[in-house]
Structure formats: structure tokens, C-alpha cells
Amino acid sequence: MTDRSELITQFLKSAEWDHATRANLAGDASNRSYDRLTDPMHGAAVLMNAPPERGEDIRPFVKMTNWLLDQGISAPRILAADEEAGFLLLEDFGDDLFARLCGTARADEVELYTAAVDVLVHLAKAPPPADIAPYNSATYLREAQLLTDWYLPAATGQDTSPELRAEFDSLITAACDGLAQNAVVLRDYHSENLLWLPDREGIRRVGQLDYQDALLGHPAYDLVSLLEDARRDTSPDLQTAMFDHYVTQSGVDKAHFSLAYNTLGMQRNIKIIGIFARLCLRDGKPVYLKHMPRVWDHLQRDLRDPALSALADWLARHVPAPTDDVQKRIAGAGR
């Protein structure tokens, strides 16, 4: 059986990048890994290594890349591909992630976030790609169940009872029922997946990195993903200004959009708390636990919406906050 290092060598040779030097780039929570290639003739590129034997499939990424480029959005151009083996050679957007630039003298946070919101306004009006799956009530529920499957048992030390599961499922379904499915949502639209490309113009200044899980859903989802960032603090003033900017530029009804925003923020933050617990317990990655308090704070803000009061009451009664002690308990269960 040919190992992946040999397959990479073969792929780079076929793409005529076999003389490039390679340096590892920071990965993510998936099984994908990335190397930066530097070649004296071709310049720089990024190698995506997505092992199919570990459940990775680059075809959705390729499909969405081509669609985003067709919409005038800065996705990395594909320089070479081996879809069967799980390799892509991608345009290199550099290192200027929003998460790195914000708060430094090199960038204006408001300028960056305004451009990112403008991308979402543009996306909401774009004709969706063929065969894109819907972000429907069943998907919202399945994702939210990560809380009762992973976080709640680890945080309390007790299995989630069938009665609690049924109550939670009913509340989530009622909250998310009827949300529109009329826009492409990229689903991981936040500061560590957006790159600043100031030499470009308009919405093309915002480089996209992680969008292979895109679905057809409500446009508020990506906005709340951006503004209620799980990994960096965004001030209430920035959140309000960017929310209002989206409403003004898109022409949506503010009251209806606000309810969808709070509902999807609730669903997303519940899901993320469950994902971070799973990353610790199943995958041995406790580093994500440190972000839980921030996500919990976002969740509490979303739950202030009167339409979510029943769910807020249920969570207050049954789900402990991710305090230091709770995080230690989860980390201990993951060993």
C-alpha cells in the first residue's frame, strides 16, 4: 500500500511543483492538513491534504470554490487537483487572517468586518449552485443534539435521560421551524477563516478558506457566525454596527431578521459547545474547551430574545455553565 507521503510526492511531480520547499501551516479541527509550497519558478501555493481514508472528501470544496469564483468572491483558485487521492494545490492568500490583523496597527477592524458583511449581502442575492442541500429543521436539530450527546453528560457526570432529550428536541424544533432556506450559507464564516486581501477591490478583499459544508439556509446564519465568533471577542458596539449595516444594505425587515439572527445564534452556539466537548472527549483536543465561556456568553445574549424564553428556562435548569470546574471535569473525562 502506497503511503501518503509518496502520494504527495507523485501529486506534486505531476503538477510540476516537485521542486518546491514545503512548510507546515496550522490546521483545523478536521483531518485535513496544509503545507505552504514555495517554488523558484511558480511562487507560492498551498497544498491541502485531505485523506479519504479518514472521511475527507474534497469534491464539495472544489464545487463551492468554482461557484464562489463565479460569484466574484475571492476563493483560492485551484492550481492542481487529485480528487480521488484527496489533494489540492491552491492559490496562496498569505497569512493575514482577520483574527491576526484585528487589534493591530496593520488593520482597521471596522473596515475588515464591513467588507466581510458586504460579502454576505452579496451572497444572499446570488443564485445557489445546483443540488445544494437544505439547512432544514432536521439538520438544526441533529447539530443541536451535540449538546445533549456530548457536553451535558460530560459536564454533569450523568447520561442525558430520554425525557430530557425529548424536551430539548421539542424546544429546538419549535424554535427553528420555519426558518427560510433561500441563501447560500458557508457555515464557518469567522475571523480564522477570512483573509484580508487589501490589493483587491470591494468584496474581493475578503479571502475565503473554509466553505465545503455550505448549505442553502437563512442568511442570518453566517452573520451570527461572524459576529458571535467562538475564538475571538467582538465588542457589542461592533456587533450592533455590523448587524445594522447588513440590515441597511440588504433591505431585510429588521424585526424578522433579528429573530432569525438570535435563533440561529442560539442553535449555532449550542452546537459549538457540543462540538468543543466532543473534540476533547473523542479526539483528544482539550484546547477547544478554553473557548467555551465565550460561546456560552454569546448563547446567553441570544436567549434574551423573548421568543426563546422556554428554551432559556430549560437550559438554565438542566445545563451547567462551562465554569473552570466544569471544563476540568470534561477534560478529565477525555483522558
Side-chain angles (χ1 to χ4, degrees):
M1 181 177 178
T2 306
D3 65 25
R4 276 200 84 70
S5 61
E6 185 176 337
L7 290 174
I8 290 173
T9 300
Q10 293 172 2
F11 172 67
L12 294 179
K13 186 174 182 179
S14 67
E16 299 183 352
W17 279 76
D18 49 319
H19 296 297
T21 58
R22 286 167 51 193
N24 182 254
L25 292 171
D28 53 25
S30 74
N31 291 313
R32 298 184 298 272
S33 62
Y34 302 87
D35 286 345
R36 169 167 287 140
L37 275 58
T38 305
D39 183 272
M41 289 183 58
H42 302 304
V46 172
L47 171 68
M48 178 195 289
N49 176 10
E53 64 273 15
R54 300 188 67 185
E56 294 294 327
D57 182 358
I58 64 173
R59 289 172 297 181
F61 183 91
V62 171
K63 177 181 177 181
M64 283 306 303
T65 296
N66 292 329
W67 182 82
L68 288 168
L69 290 169
D70 287 344
Q71 308 311 312
I73 294 171
S74 289
R77 291 179 297 109
I78 297 173
L79 307 178
D82 185 334
E83 295 185 1
E84 183 177 346
F87 297 123
L88 288 176
L89 197 59
L90 302 169
E91 178 183 8
D92 186 356
F93 280 162
D95 296 315
D96 285 343
L97 289 168
F98 277 36
R100 294 177 184 168
L101 286 181
C102 289
T104 72
R106 295 181 55 208
D108 181 333
E109 183 183 53
V110 172
E111 180 184 18
L112 268 61
Y113 274 77
T114 300
V117 171
D118 288 341
V119 172
L120 297 182
V121 173
H122 183 79
L123 265 178
K125 300 174 183 177
D131 303 323
I132 187 171
Y135 211 168
N136 54 25
S137 294
T139 307
Y140 291 132
L141 175 59
R142 184 176 67 252
E143 293 177 344
Q145 286 171 337
L146 290 164
L147 183 85
T148 48
D149 288 346
W150 293 94
Y151 177 77
L152 187 55
T156 63
Q158 299 177 349
D159 290 339
T160 307
S161 70
E163 294 78 15
L164 283 182
R165 289 182 184 277
E167 291 173 6
F168 177 75
D169 291 357
S170 177
L171 289 165
I172 291 292
T173 299
C176 296
D177 186 46
L179 287 168
Q181 300 166 28
N182 57 6
V184 172
V185 292
L186 304 183
R187 300 180 67 209
D188 278 307
Y189 195 82
H190 55 74
S191 63
E192 292 193 353
N193 283 336
L194 301 176
L195 282 150
W196 187 235
L197 307 173
D199 293 338
R200 303 188 182 190
E201 296 183 355
I203 61 171
R204 295 187 66 251
R205 293 176 297 168
V206 183
Q208 309 295 321
L209 287 185
D210 192 354
Y211 42 76
Q212 65 277 350
D213 296 324
L215 294 173
L216 191 67
H218 195 289
Y221 188 91
D222 280 348
L223 185 65
V224 79
S225 174
L226 175 70
L227 300 181
E228 293 189 355
D229 197 316
R231 295 170 179 83
R232 78 172 296 264
D233 293 327
T234 50
S235 70
D237 287 346
L238 179 69
Q239 292 184 34
T240 298
M242 294 301 104
F243 180 90
D244 290 344
H245 179 69
Y246 183 93
V247 169
T248 300
Q249 295 301 312
S250 64
V252 297
D253 179 87
K254 186 172 184 177
H256 286 94
F257 191 80
S258 180
L259 173 58
Y261 180 91
N262 293 330
T263 300
L264 290 168
M266 170 276 297
Q267 188 271 348
R268 177 176 171 80
N269 289 312
I270 281 175
K271 172 181 69 173
I272 291 173
I273 290 170
I275 288 173
F276 285 171
R278 184 177 67 183
L279 283 166
C280 175
L281 295 164
R282 187 191 70 183
D283 303 330
K285 298 178 179 179
V287 66
Y288 290 93
L289 297 182
K290 68 182 181 182
H291 299 302
M292 278 186 175
R294 179 185 297 110
V295 180
W296 185 263
D297 288 344
H298 290 324
L299 175 60
Q300 301 314 303
R301 190 214 68 81
D302 300 323
L303 291 171
R304 291 201 294 265
D305 193 306
L308 301 175
S309 60
L311 182 59
D313 290 343
W314 188 92
L315 291 167
R317 282 186 284 117
H318 299 295
V319 182
T323 61
D324 289 344
D325 287 343
V326 167
Q327 291 178 56
K328 289 176 183 176
R329 187 177 301 130
I330 296 172
R335 293 195 183 105

